[in-house]
Amino acid sequence: MAFEYEKYLRMDKIPHLWCPGCGIGVVLKAMLRSVENMGWDKNDIAFVSGIGCTSRAPGYIDCNTLHTTHGRALSFATGIKLAQPAKHVVVFSGDGDATAIGGNHFIHACRRNIDITLVVVNNNTYGMTGGQHSPTTPIGYKASTTIYGNIDPTFDICLLAKAAGASYVARATVNKGKMLEKYITKGFEHKGFSVIVATANCHTQFGRKNKMSDPISARKWIESREIPIDKARNMKALELNDKIITGEFISEEPEQTYWENYNHPIHEYTEAYQRIREKAQAQDKH
Amino acid sequence: MSEKINIPEHYGRWEADITIGKKEDHVTIGYWRDGCKGCGICVDVCPKKVWEIIEAKDKWNGQVVQVTDAAKCIKCMLCEIHCPDFCIKIY
Ligand SMILES: Cc1ncc(C[n+]2csc(CCOP(=O)(O)OP(=O)(O)O)c2C)c(N)n1
Ligand code: SF4
Ligand code: SF4
């Protein structure tokens, strides 16, 4: 049965500004279906983004939305979650937004394991500003700032998130819209920081410089590099340079969430913070 | 078959009786031409070639899509899920 996206969209802002065939639209749709799966009331959602093509997403969604500064979406989101723990806080970021300028905010949000869902749309480039290379541009690939080919190794955003302390981490690509929906839904259900990386095509900027300037060939390039996580375990780092490992990297709900168990390795930040706030308020009364 | 499905009025409409496996069914395909950017993803993902690209002078890249034959549809939903522009509805 057809999905009623209209329910969640500011229809006067549609068609969106993304290029024909841009992967961000596919990820946004998976995200909206996940909201429906959760049965959330629109008023209970806070949808936050930074700057970039990806970060234009909140403009199209009819709920509480916040379009912030480049790289700082997670900081604003953390503030919202601490002030209003009952809100479902969702962040949409590009690979540059989340792991270049916002890299520090990213690792510390993971470390805090705060109950926020981050969807990173990884298109291997800075789409909005003209296709500069990003921390996820594979070695050998061209960008407007690496015209003879990139020599920097990449971040694997999923491994980075896991190492920094995020308790749900998964990756799927725009070729598998249903899989994206499944992981984002699981991220929403998950208590603690969840990171879902959606590998997407930016044929306009990244593709044009790397012989795949149309959406179909850019999507095929992604498809040809997908490797399920179980298979990737036996491969060497260099073999995995431009591969896209899909699947769930970690899914560990924090068991202990209260102040008494603050030292538990995986705790949920919002509740721990709430306890401190209650403690401080109780002391103020004396 | 069943009663007529309501689709948003700005969507064009194709209908057909279909058989999926042995099951008899009915499909209604909705397509929003004004929102379509002619990217061709629906044409690529459809396993049954229900969609085709056609020329459209009014579009900046000169193309949109249309339904070739709704009766070929197997309701896999791949085009609806992967159209980045909210232009396809399969009922
Ligand atoms: C503080 C600051 N520095 C730089 C910029 C310029 N800028 C805008 S978008 C962008 C890159 C966005 O890339 P990414 O986050 O990967 O998103 P995409 O456009 O690829 O979706 C940059 C560098 C800015 N707006 N603010
Ligand atoms: S420049 Fe790239 S990321 Fe931005 S809208 Fe176009 S295809 Fe999408
Ligand atoms: S996928 Fe959507 S926008 Fe692209 S050609 Fe098909 S209907 Fe048009």
Side-chain angles (χ1 to χ4, degrees), chain A residues 36-72:
Chain A
E36 173 91 7
N37 293 344
M38 298 300 289
W40 286 347
D41 186 314
K42 287 196 284 187
N43 292 321
D44 296 336
I45 308 169
F47 196 66
V48 189
S49 75
I51 298 290
C53 291
T54 306
S55 299
R56 295 296 299 235
Y60 305 115
I61 303 180
D62 184 23
C63 68
N64 306 295
T65 55
L66 195 60
H67 190 187
T68 72
T69 55
H70 196 26
R72 276 75 189 181

Side-chain angles (χ1 to χ4, degrees), chain A residues 258-271:
Chain A
Y258 297 107
W259 172 237
E260 287 86 339
N261 301 309
Y262 191 74
N263 290 324
H264 190 273
I266 313 170
H267 67 268
E268 208 288 295
Y269 192 71
T270 318
E271 290 188 13

Side-chain angles (χ1 to χ4, degrees), chain A:
Chain A
M1 204 57 183
F3 188 86
E4 222 187 305
Y5 294 100
E6 291 81 0
K7 216 163 99 184
Y8 298 102
L9 293 172
R10 295 179 178 141
M11 282 312 285
D12 55 328
K13 300 278 191 296
I14 303 285
H16 51 60
L17 62 54
W18 297 315
C19 303
C22 172
I24 303 169
V26 181
V27 185
L28 177 60
K29 286 172 69 175
M31 211 275 308
L32 296 178
R33 293 195 301 275
S34 304
V35 169
E36 173 91 7
N37 293 344
M38 298 300 289
W40 286 347
D41 186 314
K42 287 196 284 187
N43 292 321
D44 296 336
I45 308 169
F47 196 66
V48 189
S49 75
I51 298 290
C53 291
T54 306
S55 299
R56 295 296 299 235
Y60 305 115
I61 303 180
D62 184 23
C63 68
N64 306 295
T65 55
L66 195 60
H67 190 187
T68 72
T69 55
H70 196 26
R72 276 75 189 181
L74 280 170
S75 319
F76 287 88
T78 303
I80 295 174
K81 190 68 190 177
L82 294 185
Q84 303 213 13
K87 286 268 182 292
H88 310 296
V89 183
V90 184
V91 179
F92 227 59
S93 257
D95 46 309
D97 199 52
T99 63
I101 191 168
N104 213 7
H105 299 287
F106 174 71
I107 54 174
H108 292 288
C110 293
R111 177 172 67 89
R112 293 193 180 107
N113 199 24
I114 186 164
D115 192 12
I116 289 175
T117 305
L118 168 68
V119 179
V120 182
V121 179
N122 179 9
N123 52 20
N124 307 99
T125 193
Y126 291 2
M128 178 164 271
T129 43
Q132 292 82 359
H133 79 293
S134 87
T136 59
T137 307
I139 292 177
Y141 284 80
K142 290 184 179 140
S144 57
T145 41
T146 57
I147 51 173
Y148 302 110
N150 173 39
I151 57 169
D152 294 352
T154 54
F155 270 148
D156 182 321
I157 304 177
C158 291
L159 296 181
L160 182 65
K162 186 180 166 187
S167 49
Y168 182 81
V169 179
R171 185 192 279 115
T173 74
V174 285
N175 293 305
K176 310 251 158 59
K178 269 285 175 196
M179 198 169 164
L180 268 176
E181 176 186 337
K182 183 177 128 197
Y183 290 156
I184 299 175
T185 307
K186 284 181 93 169
F188 284 170
E189 285 167 352
H190 182 86
K191 191 182 193 134
F193 195 63
S194 23
V195 180
I196 295 91
V197 178
T199 308
N201 56 301
C202 170
H203 46 285
T204 305
Q205 296 296 357
F206 181 70
R208 190 159 49 91
K209 300 175 185 74
N210 294 288
K211 301 200 179 78
M212 41 183 173
S213 55
D214 65 284
I216 310 299
S217 55
R219 285 168 58 93
K220 293 247 172 348
W221 175 78
I222 292 175
E223 198 171 13
S224 70
R225 277 155 179 78
E226 287 181 35
I227 301 227
I229 187 161
D230 296 332
K231 218 170 149 195
R233 287 209 176 93
N234 308 319
M235 291 169 73
K236 296 202 176 66
L238 261 180
E239 284 179 315
L240 292 170
N241 167 43
D242 61 355
K243 297 288 184 291
I244 301 158
I245 306 172
T246 58
E248 288 176 310
F249 289 69
I250 181 173
S251 177
E252 281 184 30
E253 284 240 320
E255 300 156 30
Q256 322 271 343
T257 56
Y258 297 107
W259 172 237
E260 287 86 339
N261 301 309
Y262 191 74
N263 290 324
H264 190 273
I266 313 170
H267 67 268
E268 208 288 295
Y269 192 71
T270 318
E271 290 188 13
Y273 185 86
Q274 182 67 24
R275 298 289 296 217
I276 293 189
R277 192 151 60 180
E278 281 161 15
K279 225 172 166 178
Q281 281 165 352
Q283 262 174 17
D284 278 352
K285 284 199 189 99
H286 294 307

Side-chain angles (χ1 to χ4, degrees), chain B residues 1-2 9 12 25 31 33 48-49 62 64 85 90-91:
Chain B
M1 224 187 78
S2 52
E9 56 184 39
D25 204 344
Y31 165 62
R33 189 186 183 283
K48 295 289 173 187
K49 298 199 164 47
V64 287
D85 280 270
I90 307 286
Y91 301 88

Side-chain angles (χ1 to χ4, degrees), chain B:
Chain B
M1 224 187 78
S2 52
E3 80 239 46
K4 205 168 152 85
I5 283 162
N6 284 325
I7 63 175
E9 56 184 39
H10 49 288
Y11 279 70
R13 177 185 196 111
W14 284 265
E15 284 192 62
D17 289 326
I18 53 173
T19 350
I20 306 171
K22 288 200 176 82
K23 212 174 126 251
E24 307 244 307
D25 204 344
H26 184 83
V27 67
T28 304
I29 303 179
Y31 165 62
W32 181 30
R33 189 186 183 283
D34 284 350
C36 173
K37 294 176 184 166
C39 69
I41 290 179
C42 50
V43 180
D44 183 60
V45 295
C46 175
K48 295 289 173 187
K49 298 199 164 47
V50 170
W51 297 94
E52 68 179 347
I53 290 181
I54 51 163
E55 197 183 89
K57 292 225 164 60
D58 57 323
K59 295 278 181 175
W60 71 271
N61 59 354
Q63 59 184 44
V64 287
V65 293
Q66 72 176 11
V67 172
T68 55
D69 181 4
K72 290 192 277 185
C73 178
I74 51 165
K75 290 199 185 181
C76 68
M77 310 300 277
L78 284 172
C79 60
E80 183 185 308
I81 288 170
H82 293 96
C83 166
D85 280 270
F86 310 98
C87 297
I88 298 177
K89 287 184 182 291
I90 307 286
Y91 301 88

